[in-house]
Amino acid sequence: MASKGSSMSFSRKSYRLTSDAEKSRVTGIVQEKLLNDYLHRIFSSPEHAPTAATSRKPLNFQNLPEHLDQLLHVDNEDEESQGQVEGRLGPSTVVLDHTGGFEGLLLVDDDLLGVIGHSNFGTIRSTTCVYKGKWVYEVLISSQGLMQIGWCTINCRFNQEEGVGDTHNSYAYDGNRVRKWNVTTTNYGKEGRLVEKDSCEWQLQGQPTVLLTLAHIFHRFAPLLRKVYLVEAVLMSFLRGVVEAGTPAQAQSMVRQILDLLWLFMEDYEVQDCLKQLMMSLLRLYRFSPIVPDLSLQIHYLRLTIAILRHEKSRKFLLSNVLFDVLRSVVFFYIKSPLRVEEAGLQELIPTTWWPHRSSREGKDSKDVKDETAEEHRRRRAYERGCQRLKKRIEVVEELQVQILKLLLNNKDDNGGEASRYIFLTKFRKFLQENASGRGNMPMLCPPEYMVCFLHRLISALRYYWDEYKASNPRASFSEEAYIPPQVFYNGKVDYFDLQRLGGLLSHLRKTLKDDLASKANILIDPLELQAATMDDLDEDEEPAPAAAQRPMQALAMGGVLPLPRPSWLSSPTLGRANRFLSTAAVSLMTPRRPLTTSEKVKVRTLSAEQRTREDIEGSHWNEGLLLGRPPEEPEQPLTENSLLEVLDGAVMMYNLSVHQQLGKMVGVSDDVNEYAVALRDTEDKLRRCPKRRKDILAELTKSQKVFSEKLDHLSRRLAWVHATVYSQEKMLDIYWLLRVCLRTVEHGDRTGSLFAFMPEFYLSVAINSYSALKNYFGPVHSMEELPGYEETLTRLAAILAKHFADTRIVGTDIRDSLMQALASYVCYPHSLRAVERIPEEQRIAMVRSLLAPYEQRPWAQTNWILVRLWRGCGFGYRYTRLPHLLKTKPEDANLPSLQKPCPSTLLQQHMADLLREGPDVAPSFLNSVLNQLNWAFSEFIGMIQEIQQAAERLERNFVDSRQLKVCATCFDLSVSLLRVLEMTITLVPEIFLDWARPTSEMLLRRLAQLLNQVLNRVTAERNLFDRVVTLRLPGLESVDHYPILVAVTGILVRLLVHGPASGTERATSVLLADPCFQLRSICYLLGQPEPPAPGTVLPAPDRKRFSLQSYTDYISVEELAQVEQMLAHLTSASAQAAAASLPTSEEDLCPICYAHPISAVFQPCGHKSCKACINQHLMNNKDCFFCKATIVSVEDWEKAASTSTTSSAA
């Protein structure tokens, strides 16, 4: 018998025997060399042809273990071994092994080439083993009978019943029966002999045919593969060499072979430990490897990761036990920023730097491209080309990261187990829960910068599989039309932990909306389970046994289905509070055997992520899986695979958790560039203006210029990296896609009526925040206006904000405030305000109606801010972006909504006017709320500045609380905005105050006049408290000044006294002059005119600077100044006439409440009296008499008594 091999010879290291004394000095480095030698011998590359080997002692199965033990002691000398062929161990001539390893009664010839068996299933081995390549040996069969000829490992044990082919680690061929054997048997080959093509298929591909000796070798070094340092130093080095030497396809093929062998010849726990250590090593190397210019290190590590994850069994083990449980696997999706520009080779990639030139002055936009000089244009183009080169290199890494996620999202590898995608979903949900609640181990929580990259890669992989499913299922939707169906939020198939719903707690929603769930979604929630869930939430104690025994069994559905007992885990005391809330939400207890009719209701409960199966997610023949409980408003055709819907839901949650905050933080690099650019321009301007004789100043300025230029060079290159990794066009499209997903999800959820309350709050938050990120974070490199469907998206978001900011289905205070603030910001910008005007008319009117609703128990400050923005640009002197006294200071953020140019909406103003005229109660309730809030805000402001002034006048050193200053400034800003709303109302609908045919007009006008006089007196008094606080210019009170509040009051007075009809002007004048707080001096103060001195007083110094509207010619037009002068002249004349015509009034005829107006009303039935203003204001909140507390039935005029009093007084 002779063996023939086709493999090439290769060099071998020489080994020597060692004594026992020498063995004690053997260290771990020997094992390292041994493992390295094993790997390169077994998986050597055919490209490196070794030299011939030297002769050495023949090996047989008896001395093979001893020989492998001797290999542990490697000599440092490299000698060529002779007489050995690669992939083979043993003598050159193969003979039968008659010394051991056989079973049964056998007669062996003297030349050890023939054998005769005299017992049942006798077995004998040969003296040679092979471990690599293609091998064939020939056998001449001299008799008939059942014979099995094949291969086995050294550890294979035979007996009288089991021969070669009958055990797991042996393989045999039976020519008599034409079958092959490896425990089980299948048809194979041709009768009597093996043809050439059959033997050629017996290669080193994981088949037991030629891997016999490998089992013994793996038995030796399997323990070594569990050691951390050996895996990292040897195995990782070897695998890196495989990846770096060949193409990706070749590397993946080789790694797959290696993993096949590991799983075949090693125990499962050994392979698992090895893979765990291997992935930990890979992650460390990827995370801490330096950023080289071509990113080759990161690319090689990612390619090796892909090669490992392409092995199905390894991928599933890593997904189940390592990637999310032991490692922070999202590190593989992160591209870290270089610590130094030189480290990443950015100077070579981007040799020319450039930065945008933005003006810091108010009202000036960024410098336009057409205004660039030729040099600036050349630098910008060179910088953009460098950025493109950097982006292309980064895209290679990003594509490899997406390939990793595509492997993890594979749902076609469900042979003999669960598909990878469903394992990923379980781990991904747990990952989201830990990061959402913060209850996970701190080292395992995902940093925001990692989450950003993970989100973008996940979106790319998700959209790939989504569109792939669409290609094979035409009825499905494209990823551009993706959204989350509303039933996912209430059927309990997806666990949202303890995240807040729009309608409040889930347990509360299940109780209050159980009838709607039954009627709209055919979902029935058992009242007993609702009660049990509530008790579990209130009391963490275990349920008493008697109560559990008395609970009746539950029915799954109506119509005769057998009842099932309540699962014990639902009442387990170990479940957390969040799980208690979800314990009876919607998941079907059993898959129905037939489709449910509209009259049937399904009782439901929730399964945790670990308990779900593929059927619970994707559904089955009559089970809709995640889409259980479809409302009638939803279409029947599927969007995509249900599992992809859950991945999409997780992506939206990821953005809400930390991605948005991280996007805002990364803008800091751009802000730094702008600050240094401004500093550099200022320094260059100073250099041009500096006299040449001042060489010392020139030297300092030149030094500063150099520092700023070097810093800008560094920051501009770093900014290029940030733009490529975080703010690129592709990343912007991902966020824009997420925004549109949220908009469609909210729109579909809104159609379900009351079930909209089940939607988690973060969907609205992501819609708001993603729009803010697109608008504020991705510019000026990429503009949101360039995105596809930009105008339509703005309009859809405007419709959502307009409808839901006052939606009664939304109860959470935080999300309601977020909606209100988002709408207030939305109307500050021209593009988004036009989008609000494009929504349907009924929605616009409903929005304005909600804005005009009374302010009690509402965020009235934000509501008032929205109304102010609709008016800004139309009011008296209200065309400014920043206050005049703040122009010299630099704004903290020029992109703030309050610093945008005025863009009033005449369309929405007209809706407001129409609604105020609509009914008799709309205008009074709205205006009384505004007046009440104005009274409160201004009173609080005055009280706070009194405290601030007292603290400033104390001799001891003290500090004013910054929070108190902030609240004080807020009250002042609210007072100004409320005055502007009153100005808008009087301008649009003056008859509300001036048409006294209305029952509430006189009362509203008197209240308005009273408040206006109070404001004027407080602000315009000489050497008053307001002046002193303004003079202090305390940090936090920058907005407190004379101009904003006085021009607002002036606008109201001008509308009442100049623009109104003659009859209305007369009434307004009489009411204003009749108020006891009115002082003509306050009106003179507006134009800087001093008050006529009283007898005995000293005139003020003539050079004293006074406030005057005439000083603000850039903000107040000539026409507006003329109107103020006309108003002053009118009030001066009317005041003189009133003083001349007034008759003394006895104290008995004055209102006993205010002592400012004559008695004009009598109460019935008690007969007590007061003026109409006092009684009308009192009746708004109370129906009891001032004096006797009797219930007031009616109020009548007291004209006769007034005339009698007048006559008596005249007499």
Side-chain angles (χ1 to χ4, degrees), residues 143-433:
S143 63
Q144 296 182 351
L146 299 180
M147 302 181 192
Q148 294 177 193
I149 302 171
W151 308 79
C152 69
T153 69
I154 188 64
N155 293 325
C156 189
R157 296 291 180 265
F158 303 114
N159 53 44
Q160 296 294 324
E161 301 296 331
E162 292 182 344
V164 62
D166 298 327
T167 61
H168 288 282
N169 46 10
S170 65
Y171 185 91
Y173 175 74
D174 182 352
N176 184 277
R177 289 175 288 186
V178 196
R179 303 183 72 83
K180 62 180 179 179
W181 295 80
N182 177 230
V183 180
T184 60
T185 179
T186 56
N187 293 328
Y188 185 78
K190 297 182 179 180
E191 183 175 2
R193 69 189 197 94
L194 294 174
V195 298
E196 183 70 17
K197 74 176 186 68
D198 294 333
S199 61
C200 289
E201 293 177 359
W202 295 10
Q203 303 179 46
L204 186 62
Q205 300 292 341
Q207 296 294 334
T209 311
V210 296
L211 303 181
L212 308 178
T213 308
L214 281 179
H216 194 87
I217 297 176
F218 271 91
H219 175 73
R220 291 290 176 172
F221 76 78
L224 305 182
L225 289 176
R226 300 179 62 195
K227 298 183 181 296
V228 179
Y229 71 94
L230 286 179
V231 170
E232 187 159 348
V234 181
L235 182 60
M236 177 59 68
S237 176
F238 171 74
L239 293 177
R240 281 182 57 189
V242 171
V243 172
E244 295 171 5
T247 64
Q250 292 173 341
Q252 291 171 12
S253 176
M254 176 62 75
V255 172
R256 183 174 64 251
Q257 294 178 26
I258 295 172
L259 292 174
D260 282 337
L261 290 179
L262 293 180
W263 284 104
L264 181 63
F265 291 110
M266 294 171 59
E267 297 292 338
D268 285 353
Y269 72 90
E270 294 175 332
V271 184
Q272 293 167 2
D273 287 347
C274 177
L275 287 174
K276 177 181 174 181
Q277 302 299 339
L278 183 62
M279 292 305 295
M280 292 178 65
S281 177
L282 258 178
L283 185 139
R284 283 193 299 268
L285 290 170
Y286 177 80
R287 181 179 181 183
F288 297 111
S289 58
I291 303 294
V292 295
D294 59 353
L295 300 175
S296 58
L297 294 177
Q298 286 74 18
I299 291 174
H300 288 149
Y301 295 137
L302 289 175
R303 283 179 176 171
L304 178 53
T305 305
I306 292 172
I308 294 173
L309 292 178
R310 283 190 181 277
H311 189 267
E312 180 179 328
K313 189 173 183 179
S314 301
R315 177 174 68 248
K316 291 184 179 180
F317 163 73
L318 292 172
L319 258 178
S320 302
N321 302 280
V322 178
L323 291 183
F324 287 93
D325 297 294
V326 179
L327 304 179
R328 187 184 286 168
S329 57
V330 291
V331 173
F332 285 117
F333 310 111
Y334 176 57
I335 303 177
K336 67 178 181 179
S337 300
L339 297 177
R340 297 180 303 276
V341 171
E342 298 81 5
E343 176 188 6
L346 294 183
Q347 289 178 329
E348 292 76 16
L349 277 176
I350 310 175
T352 305
T353 59
W354 174 84
W355 47 87
H357 294 270
R358 291 184 178 180
S359 175
S360 60
R361 295 184 178 180
E362 178 207 357
K364 299 283 184 73
D365 296 329
S366 300
K367 195 170 185 179
D368 197 77
V369 175
K370 66 182 180 182
D371 298 331
E372 289 180 336
T373 63
E375 176 63 19
E376 289 176 340
H377 179 74
R378 183 193 66 80
R379 290 183 58 193
R380 181 172 63 84
R381 296 297 299 167
Y383 178 76
E384 290 175 350
R385 287 193 296 270
C387 292
Q388 285 299 319
R389 289 192 293 268
L390 174 63
K391 181 182 176 184
K392 289 180 179 179
R393 296 189 178 186
I394 291 177
E395 285 176 347
V396 175
V397 178
E398 292 176 346
E399 178 57 32
L400 293 174
Q401 293 170 335
V402 172
Q403 289 183 29
I404 293 177
L405 273 173
K406 287 180 181 178
L407 290 172
L408 300 184
L409 289 176
N410 183 11
N411 68 334
K412 302 296 191 296
D413 57 347
D414 54 352
N415 300 323
E418 194 173 16
S420 298
R421 180 183 298 177
Y422 305 102
I423 305 175
F424 174 83
L425 283 178
T426 300
K427 300 300 180 179
F428 183 47
R429 211 68 194 175
K430 183 180 178 182
F431 166 81
L432 293 174
Q433 183 177 11

Side-chain angles (χ1 to χ4, degrees), residues 21 122 182 242-244 256 297 359 454 644 665 753 817 891 1025 1030 1041 1055 1082 1095 1184-1185:
N182 177 230
V242 171
V243 172
E244 295 171 5
R256 183 174 64 251
L297 294 177
S359 175
F454 185 28
L644 296 181
K665 284 178 59 179
D817 287 347
L1025 183 62
V1030 169
D1041 192 67
R1055 296 294 177 182
S1082 299
D1184 297 338
C1185 175

Side-chain angles (χ1 to χ4, degrees), residues 1182-1195:
N1182 200 331
K1183 302 298 182 183
D1184 297 338
C1185 175
F1186 290 109
F1187 309 98
C1188 64
K1189 303 303 180 184
T1191 302
I1192 300 174
V1193 178
S1194 63
V1195 177

Side-chain angles (χ1 to χ4, degrees), residues 983 986 1008-1009 1012-1013 1016 1046-1059 1068 1072 1078 1083 1086 1127 1131:
E983 179 192 15
I986 294 170
L1008 177 63
L1012 293 179
N1013 284 326
L1016 284 173
L1046 288 181
V1047 293
V1049 173
T1050 303
I1052 296 175
L1053 293 176
V1054 167
R1055 296 294 177 182
L1056 288 174
L1057 303 176
V1058 177
H1059 290 286
L1072 189 65
F1078 174 76
I1083 308 299
L1086 299 175
M1127 177 189 68
L1131 286 177

Side-chain angles (χ1 to χ4, degrees), residues 489-490 500-506 509 512-513 749-750 752-761 807-811:
F489 306 130
Y490 57 73
Q500 190 75 1
R501 308 296 182 104
L502 293 178
L505 293 176
L506 183 61
L509 293 175
T512 56
L513 300 178
D750 180 45
T752 61
S754 59
L755 299 184
F756 178 62
F758 283 94
M759 180 179 292
E761 286 184 352
D807 194 338
T808 56
R809 296 172 295 181
I810 302 176
V811 301

